[in-house]
Amino acid sequence: MTTIQVKRESEAIFLDNWKKCIGTGRLGLALQQEYLEHLKTVQDEIGFSYIRGHGLLHDDIGIYREIEVDGEKRPFYNFTYIDRIFDSFLELGLKPFVEIGFMPKLLASDHQTIFAWEGNVTPPNDYQKWEDLIKAVTQHFIDRYGREEVLTWPFEIWNEPNLVNFWKDADKEEYFKLYQVTANAIKSIDQQIQVGGPAICGGSDEWITDFLTFCKNENVPVDFVSRHAYTSRSPHKVTADYYYQELAEPDKMLAEFKNVRQLIKDSDFPDLPFHITEYNTSYSPINPVHDTTLNAAYLAKILSEGGDHVDSFSYWTFSDIFEELDVPKAQFHGGFGLMGLGNVRKPTYHLFAFFNRLGSKVLYRDDHILVTEKNDGNISLVVWNLVMEKGDDHNRVINIQLPLANGKYFVSSKSISEKHANPWRVWQEMGRPRFPSKAQVETLKQSAVPLFESFQEHANDVGLQLDVQLTKNEVKLIEVELLKDETPSYPGLDDSLIDSYS
Amino acid sequence: MTTIQVKRESEAIFLDNWKKCIGTGRLGLALQQEYLEHLKTVQDEIGFSYIRGHGLLHDDIGIYREIEVDGEKRPFYNFTYIDRIFDSFLELGLKPFVEIGFMPKLLASDHQTIFAWEGNVTPPNDYQKWEDLIKAVTQHFIDRYGREEVLTWPFEIWNEPNLVNFWKDADKEEYFKLYQVTANAIKSIDQQIQVGGPAICGGSDEWITDFLTFCKNENVPVDFVSRHAYTSRSPHKVTADYYYQELAEPDKMLAEFKNVRQLIKDSDFPDLPFHITEYNTSYSPINPVHDTTLNAAYLAKILSEGGDHVDSFSYWTFSDIFEELDVPKAQFHGGFGLMGLGNVRKPTYHLFAFFNRLGSKVLYRDDHILVTEKNDGNISLVVWNLVMEKGDDHNRVINIQLPLANGKYFVSSKSISEKHANPWRVWQEMGRPRFPSKAQVETLKQSAVPLFESFQEHANDVGLQLDVQLTKNEVKLIEVELLKDETPSYPGLDDSLIDSYS
Amino acid sequence: MTTIQVKRESEAIFLDNWKKCIGTGRLGLALQQEYLEHLKTVQDEIGFSYIRGHGLLHDDIGIYREIEVDGEKRPFYNFTYIDRIFDSFLELGLKPFVEIGFMPKLLASDHQTIFAWEGNVTPPNDYQKWEDLIKAVTQHFIDRYGREEVLTWPFEIWNEPNLVNFWKDADKEEYFKLYQVTANAIKSIDQQIQVGGPAICGGSDEWITDFLTFCKNENVPVDFVSRHAYTSRSPHKVTADYYYQELAEPDKMLAEFKNVRQLIKDSDFPDLPFHITEYNTSYSPINPVHDTTLNAAYLAKILSEGGDHVDSFSYWTFSDIFEELDVPKAQFHGGFGLMGLGNVRKPTYHLFAFFNRLGSKVLYRDDHILVTEKNDGNISLVVWNLVMEKGDDHNRVINIQLPLANGKYFVSSKSISEKHANPWRVWQEMGRPRFPSKAQVETLKQSAVPLFESFQEHANDVGLQLDVQLTKNEVKLIEVELLKDETPSYPGLDDSLIDSYS
Amino acid sequence: MTTIQVKRESEAIFLDNWKKCIGTGRLGLALQQEYLEHLKTVQDEIGFSYIRGHGLLHDDIGIYREIEVDGEKRPFYNFTYIDRIFDSFLELGLKPFVEIGFMPKLLASDHQTIFAWEGNVTPPNDYQKWEDLIKAVTQHFIDRYGREEVLTWPFEIWNEPNLVNFWKDADKEEYFKLYQVTANAIKSIDQQIQVGGPAICGGSDEWITDFLTFCKNENVPVDFVSRHAYTSRSPHKVTADYYYQELAEPDKMLAEFKNVRQLIKDSDFPDLPFHITEYNTSYSPINPVHDTTLNAAYLAKILSEGGDHVDSFSYWTFSDIFEELDVPKAQFHGGFGLMGLGNVRKPTYHLFAFFNRLGSKVLYRDDHILVTEKNDGNISLVVWNLVMEKGDDHNRVINIQLPLANGKYFVSSKSISEKHANPWRVWQEMGRPRFPSKAQVETLKQSAVPLFESFQEHANDVGLQLDVQLTKNEVKLIEVELLKDETPSYPGLDDSLIDSYS
């Protein structure tokens, strides 16, 4: 048993950078009803500030088209769908974290595409037309949503240009050119719009340095730096439907956050905001780890500490409605989503919902627990038992001593574990129905509720003591509230006069 | 440990008479928004067929008024509110089980009233005006809702006339007169409308016999017999806010059902339908037993067996929105409701929801369990551990052998107990806040979810065996469904390649 | 024909004091679902800031009760219903304009009541208990809604104490005593809560002077002055169901606003805010004028100019769900409501909705028109043709010259008149069904839509000219928006190639 | 002026075949939220029974896929999206009118596609795999929705195989082969499922004869015949965005209905049901006629008479959410939809809503009017003034004599015309904004309400006379209801005592 002595000496602030941004499948999916239902649930219960996804300029949304007039092809910009999409986001309290990409087919210099939905990843065939497109899009956003609003939207140029499958040949010079043209086009509409990049995935952090050097040397605008982070190692096994990997320790990701932050500090732009515009355990949308309790327990430390190093970090993604590797083939399929198909909350969903109950002051924090104080003086904490080894024998018992004044407290907890709020397991028990009936989906939803427990506790001179037991990969939210006992105000009350009660 | 060997030999039908009707506080409350929210939840999740409550003719709904025209008082019938109320019921899938009463002030022969809302319980001061009122009301229902609809509504005359506080002097002759005038008035509008009575409370079953004799002798129409049933004994303690009683065994109520059914069979109208138009444990709306798990465990046998004896039995009442003893004074106050204030489901709510999952064929039934088969051949059962004694040491273990063919089954359960789905206990832990904050109500709602558990099980040659443990007054729904194991259809699947899984 | 030359020279601000507050029937009605539906519609389409009504302390809400403990009666404060009511208001964006009254039966010194719902209008039988009640209520509001919120709520003491039917004997000294005790009780909870009075109806403005003198002399807190205003003369005919009066000219009401404002300026508290906490044409809830187009045309000038003189003026009331003279007896019955039963918008509803489209700068204003400029430079105006004489021959033609720059404008209008958006007339044509069927109510709702018309117009060097025709008591909203003609951006467009089009 | 003397002698039934089915853009669009909002409105206000559209087997829904297992490609059937789509339809009260097509890319024998969304129109590359697919899909529908439900769904094989752009080379023999394989595959799952074809467009009715002969000769199952009907002639002008055509007279389409019905009667299957599975004026989704009042006036006769000849006729389509010629490029763009983007009702929407108010008995019918009697004896009629010539001078006045008994009647009408319920015109006045702001869309919606008018009228010995004036292409619904005049029941009522009223 571990004993944790929490004190009120800390001045540390717990920043909610973990809820600044959330990832989404390609923006065209945002036309879907079920997508919007998932997003509404997420916003009602967690409430992110920004949303980021690929495909703004992809042909399904259809912004860039050409039209023949008097025998001549002219660009035509179609905002019918993107207006509907951004309207929906804003109605749900989400601002776009704009990602510029991929290449419209008519502007593409080559045929290389990525994903089942065939996002074109080649440079423009005509930089002037690209520039015109970017200006038109930016201007349209201002026309429709107002300058004041659009100034709060970051514009990130492209996605993971350091990977050959996301940017033809991972051509760094070409990316810098694209960045320069794009950033300048945006700024030509309004100097105060924020632009940034290079949106790389991990493993090539020299791109960050080179990118900032380029901006400095060429006097190219840059208002933020962005990067992605996944902690999974090379896969053990890859099939059409499954991708299995070992995970690195959570500290690996946090170290990356720190390292890049340091790179920025050491650059010519030491104060630039730093956004992790994607992160998760595995980068594969068919890795079953995403459906597990392990995924939640694993990410707990990232949520707990990530905000110390980065200005936002955006979980990839909020929903299993996602088509990068085709239409989902089964109820559970290893998708990134916090929310599974049919509005079934997955374990990691609850991790975020639990963190959403925390206060803004850190009282205590280690690898397994984050104890916070709320504005009203009450204490809420999240505690987890990450176990990456196999086997069942990994329970953990913790004694937590909270610095609370004498009095009565109402202690309530919610918990997810292998046993509770684990619809993936229930679905296995059902025989893994690929296309479950409505009744089966209803059962999965009912199974996906965290275990609620509560009791009343006294604090004495040494504070309030909690004995917490955690099973393997259990994650638990505990809230401790000072209570006013109104029991004496009920004249005549005597529970022992009820049959069977004492 | 008890062992129960279930067989498929039974031909018994499980009638859903328990969901034929539900009680409500006075009808005027049905104008309230929160009342309608509670009722919508109840209908979505349980789905009663009829609703019955007092106060159709009470002055808050205001049907009977008088108006002066040319210096003369004339009756005026105002249907503004009752139309809104019955419209709401029908939209929620509920038909009125019409209760004729109480007396409009302008027609009352005396000042005696009942309840905080002062329902007048005296005979009419002018039977002709009363008759005119009844005709006008009946005709209006037909005009608005159509004859076909109204013919499905039972009309019950008055409420508990055998009690002096519900009918002046409990004057039986006067009641028979009222019944005769009223029944004839209704039938004069349409002979096929069903009328009945005498709506007595328990303890005076000679009223039933006398009533039927009266109808026979005087040739008065009667289409059904109605009575109430509460199983509580005299109170130990009565204060302004609390009423404590010991409960009789559930069998007492079932015996009353049977006895009255026999009285009817022995009468001149042996085939009349028999409706229990109110029942509950305690008849007091400030008896805390109603908030407990005990209440649910107690009623389980009534729901299980009551339908064998009566054509409907109507739980009194669906919601704690109720004003017979004034506006509720606290979140929990011993009210009758399935649903507590703020849309908090109480334990007995879940009892009804559990029964709503049962099939229509009885495979096995005893004092603690009801096992049913559904139309699709799957099995669902409710099992309970009623303990009316004090003390904690009353767990119960049952081995149930279900007659299921070889194969894999998905077994899921939901459970309420002292520990789970018990918002009354959570509220106590909170310090019994009288007027809880919205956040506290939200916590209570979250606490009020039954414990969900599930597993996969094989049936072998002797069927499927379940070992069930029940704590004191736990009530558990268990559903067993034959499953099709699609696991082999996932090529490449290997859970053991996920970190920490085997 | 009248010609109106609008110029841009004005600096006058059009204050939206007309939407600061709205009146409601007794607060207990706010538990009703249909009431809340009406209020939601009003808030969605108009959006008042405060709501004020009688009955906070009336026995239906039941705040003041007594409970016997150990043989002694003690006060018991029940906030179950008022919490639900104020929660609903705040969810709809409305703050309470708190009216303290009437007297709980248990605190009343006599039996005198007002209204069908029997509000007791006598002084407290025990000023100490009254003071305790006021403190408890005020403290509870702060506990539940927070100090910051409650400091924005005005607390007005009693209603129309200068009338013998609203305050026993219209006893001014007793009112001052009540005011003093109540105001001090509120301030004892928080000095910054705003308190005021004397909430008198018109005709006794010496009460205002006397009240302020009293506050000065006795050092009693006062943060605002309140008064009511109705412009109807003595009735011609009064029956149980109808109350017919002649209306004074609108100027009479505006003169009252000015006069009282001057009284305040001349007092010891010259800067006190002045709130008209009720106004309408007739003060009777059974005067059919409220259902008419005349009512809307009449009030137009009040809405146009009232805000120049008073800090808020609160239309009495938003809905026909109202019980002062009993439950409404028919679909239309002369009720005060903007909204009729069944969610049918009455003509005056649209007057408010039209004013809600106006800008904040007055360009031109006279007895028949208010022309405003919006923040975006566009113009919107309301024009009306009030005719209080009988006969049909009262059309009016106006030529309006708007100071708009050369360009194309989209001009749209909405209009209510005897012919359009007049459900009262349609109901007459239907044969005045008292309790209309759902289909009839649906027809009434569909009839209650203002006539929409639109056209495109050019402004030339002298601006944009509108010729407006108004029938008797027509009220019209006209909105003029500069447009960007995108027609040339459609290559190939040629409407004349559609059959029958040119 | 025309005079129409309506009599009650007719025994003709007005069949609602016009509402049996409605067309939709490709089924994949049914995942969209706005699509479902449009469909919900349509169902609430009109209520079709079936819905038919292309693309069941298109790759966006993704039913047919292949997966590599042990080095071998195997078919994989993915029902994730189609389940969601059919669930949505059924929730909205719509059954699928299943259209089998187009060809999944992996099963296609060639690259030919149609539409912006690239539906493949070539025969299967492997008829065995096709057969397996059809069986799997059919079986899945039965598994999910139940046999009883699926037996009510017609299965139509392919779409317009007589056109080279819809079926490679318009190869009739190949189509018959496809039909045979497909129909037999479906019947192999359940003999009672209805299958049919040949789903041709007009102009090749020998296909019908040949198809039925083929079925007879080859003993191929056929349960219904289907065909399309558009009345537009060859285009005058075609651009990327516009397609202008002259329309033939409505009688041309009705004649086609009759002719094909006769062909069927003369065939070996004389009693087969005949479904028009698509019809409209123009077959082009960029013909502005679809946005006009003319379109509604034109189709009135088709709705009035079409049901005499065909078992269903399915308006193509319910919504402008449609992508055959790419994402819609402007608010109005000549789309087929009853409903425009942003939930703006177009004129033809109201035509359908008007017909939805008609009774089931035809009292009178000619080229301009349809008079019906409802079950309650009241009369409702639709009258229209179709004018296909240019010019404004085409008003029409009609005197209608209705065979109604003496009494008072409430006459109400709703009307669409160039002036009212014409959002296309309002949009033109606005300057044809391509991507209108939310405020502009709101204005368009408000403009799209039919003009409501009403009055009270007496019928005398010759019945009830209506003088109806119609402007060019006006369509008017008139409803005449016998009323009960309750006016005398209001004692004291005297409207003349209201100022300005007589």
Side-chain angles (χ1 to χ4, degrees), chain B residues 62-310:
Chain B
I63 292 178
Y64 188 78
R65 293 296 194 256
E66 292 175 357
I67 189 173
E68 192 173 314
V69 183
D70 302 332
E72 184 197 352
K73 289 276 182 194
R74 292 191 200 161
F76 177 82
Y77 309 117
N78 189 344
F79 299 113
T80 295
Y81 276 174
I82 196 64
D83 284 355
R84 213 192 286 168
I85 292 165
F86 279 14
D87 285 359
S88 294
F89 287 159
L90 290 163
E91 280 164 18
L92 291 169
L94 284 161
K95 293 170 178 290
F97 195 115
V98 180
E99 177 197 321
I100 298 289
F102 296 118
M103 195 54 58
K105 196 180 285 187
L106 292 169
L107 286 185
S109 55
D110 205 342
H111 298 291
Q112 186 188 338
T113 66
I114 189 164
F115 300 144
W117 47 272
E118 301 185 347
N120 186 292
V121 294
T122 66
N125 56 27
D126 180 332
Y127 268 97
Q128 183 59 50
K129 285 186 180 163
W130 171 260
E131 182 185 325
D132 293 345
L133 167 64
I134 299 304
K135 287 179 178 173
V137 166
T138 308
Q139 184 62 53
H140 178 75
F141 290 159
I142 287 177
D143 291 346
R144 186 169 183 89
Y145 300 107
R147 177 175 181 260
E148 195 178 0
E149 175 64 31
V150 176
L151 292 191
T152 67
W153 303 358
F155 284 63
E156 184 187 37
I157 315 302
W158 215 256
N159 180 73
E160 302 193 358
N162 63 322
L163 292 187
V164 294
N165 50 348
F166 272 109
W167 181 241
K168 198 184 168 204
D169 304 328
D171 181 335
K172 201 193 288 179
E173 294 315 305
E174 189 75 30
Y175 173 71
F176 290 168
K177 179 176 175 189
L178 180 87
Y179 180 84
Q180 181 169 25
V181 171
T182 310
N184 282 325
I186 293 167
K187 293 281 188 180
S188 77
I189 302 301
D190 196 301
Q191 276 298 327
Q192 293 183 40
I193 299 176
Q194 313 157 54
V195 299
I200 56 163
C201 75
S204 315
D205 286 332
E206 71 283 3
W207 273 64
I208 305 273
T209 314
D210 295 351
F211 170 70
L212 293 174
T213 303
F214 167 77
C215 290
K216 174 70 179 175
N217 292 345
E218 303 297 323
N219 198 23
V220 174
V222 59
D223 299 307
F224 63 86
V225 171
S226 66
R227 183 196 190 267
H228 300 168
Y230 294 91
T231 63
S232 43
R233 303 209 169 102
S234 297
H236 301 308
K237 178 175 177 179
V238 177
T239 73
D241 290 342
Y242 291 105
Y243 197 98
Y244 295 107
Q245 302 159 278
E246 217 176 292
L247 302 181
E249 293 290 328
D251 285 338
K252 178 165 181 294
M253 188 186 288
L254 291 166
E256 293 183 15
F257 288 14
K258 279 182 248 185
N259 293 342
V260 175
R261 174 64 85 183
Q262 193 59 46
L263 288 182
I264 298 168
K265 282 192 180 157
D266 296 343
S267 78
D268 294 305
F269 304 91
D271 299 327
L272 282 188
F274 174 31
H275 299 293
I276 294 291
T277 50
E278 291 183 18
Y279 75 99
N280 205 323
T281 49
S282 164
Y283 52 74
S284 166
I286 52 172
N287 188 330
V289 74
H290 294 125
D291 301 327
T292 67
T293 303
L294 166 65
N295 204 67
Y298 182 96
L299 288 168
K301 193 181 179 200
I302 310 287
L303 267 66
S304 174
E305 302 188 11
D308 292 352
H309 311 298
V310 301

Side-chain angles (χ1 to χ4, degrees), chain D residues 56-76:
Chain D
L56 172 69
L57 301 176
H58 184 57
D59 291 292
D60 64 335
I61 294 182
I63 292 178
Y64 188 79
R65 293 295 196 256
E66 292 176 355
I67 190 173
E68 192 173 313
V69 183
D70 303 332
E72 182 197 353
K73 290 275 181 197
R74 291 192 199 160
F76 177 82

Side-chain angles (χ1 to χ4, degrees), chain D residues 220-288:
Chain D
V220 175
V222 58
D223 299 308
F224 63 86
V225 173
S226 66
R227 182 199 192 268
H228 300 168
Y230 294 91
T231 61
S232 42
R233 304 212 167 99
S234 297
H236 302 307
K237 179 175 177 179
V238 176
T239 73
D241 289 343
Y242 292 104
Y243 197 96
Y244 295 106
Q245 302 160 278
E246 216 177 293
L247 302 181
E249 292 289 328
D251 284 338
K252 179 166 181 290
M253 188 185 289
L254 291 168
E256 294 182 15
F257 288 16
K258 279 182 248 185
N259 293 342
V260 176
R261 173 63 84 183
Q262 193 59 46
L263 289 180
I264 298 169
K265 282 191 180 158
D266 296 342
S267 77
D268 294 307
F269 304 92
D271 298 328
L272 284 186
F274 174 30
H275 298 294
I276 294 291
T277 52
E278 289 183 18
Y279 75 100
N280 206 322
T281 50
S282 164
Y283 51 75
S284 167
I286 54 171
N287 187 329

Side-chain angles (χ1 to χ4, degrees), chain A residues 376-392:
Chain A
D376 60 9
N378 285 320
I379 283 177
S380 58
L381 64 90
V382 176
V383 57
W384 56 94
N385 180 25
L386 172 62
V387 179
M388 298 175 69
E389 301 159 50
K390 296 189 186 299
D392 294 333

Side-chain angles (χ1 to χ4, degrees), chain D residues 15-82:
Chain D
L15 296 169
D16 63 354
N17 294 344
W18 64 268
K19 64 182 284 194
K20 283 283 181 354
C21 193
I22 183 70
T24 168
R26 69 180 163 83
L27 296 188
L29 293 172
L31 298 168
Q32 285 195 11
Q33 176 166 271
E34 190 176 325
Y35 172 105
L36 290 168
E37 287 170 358
H38 292 197
L39 194 53
K40 182 172 188 335
T41 304
V42 165
Q43 288 303 96
D44 285 349
E45 299 180 7
I46 303 175
F48 293 95
S49 302
Y50 287 86
I51 187 164
R52 174 193 171 274
H54 309 320
L56 172 69
L57 301 176
H58 184 57
D59 291 292
D60 64 335
I61 294 182
I63 292 178
Y64 188 79
R65 293 295 196 256
E66 292 176 355
I67 190 173
E68 192 173 313
V69 183
D70 303 332
E72 182 197 353
K73 290 275 181 197
R74 291 192 199 160
F76 177 82
Y77 309 116
N78 188 344
F79 300 112
T80 296
Y81 276 175
I82 196 65

Side-chain angles (χ1 to χ4, degrees), chain C residues 162 197-212 224-230 251-277 308-312:
Chain C
N162 62 323
I200 55 164
C201 75
S204 317
D205 285 333
E206 72 282 2
W207 272 65
I208 304 275
T209 315
D210 295 350
F211 171 70
L212 293 175
F224 63 87
V225 172
S226 66
R227 181 195 192 269
H228 299 168
Y230 295 89
D251 284 340
K252 178 164 182 291
M253 189 187 287
L254 291 168
E256 293 182 16
F257 286 17
K258 279 183 247 185
N259 292 342
V260 174
R261 174 63 85 184
Q262 193 58 45
L263 289 181
I264 297 169
K265 282 194 180 154
D266 296 343
S267 78
D268 293 307
F269 305 92
D271 299 327
L272 283 188
F274 173 31
H275 298 295
I276 294 291
T277 49
D308 292 354
H309 311 298
V310 301
D311 293 282
S312 75

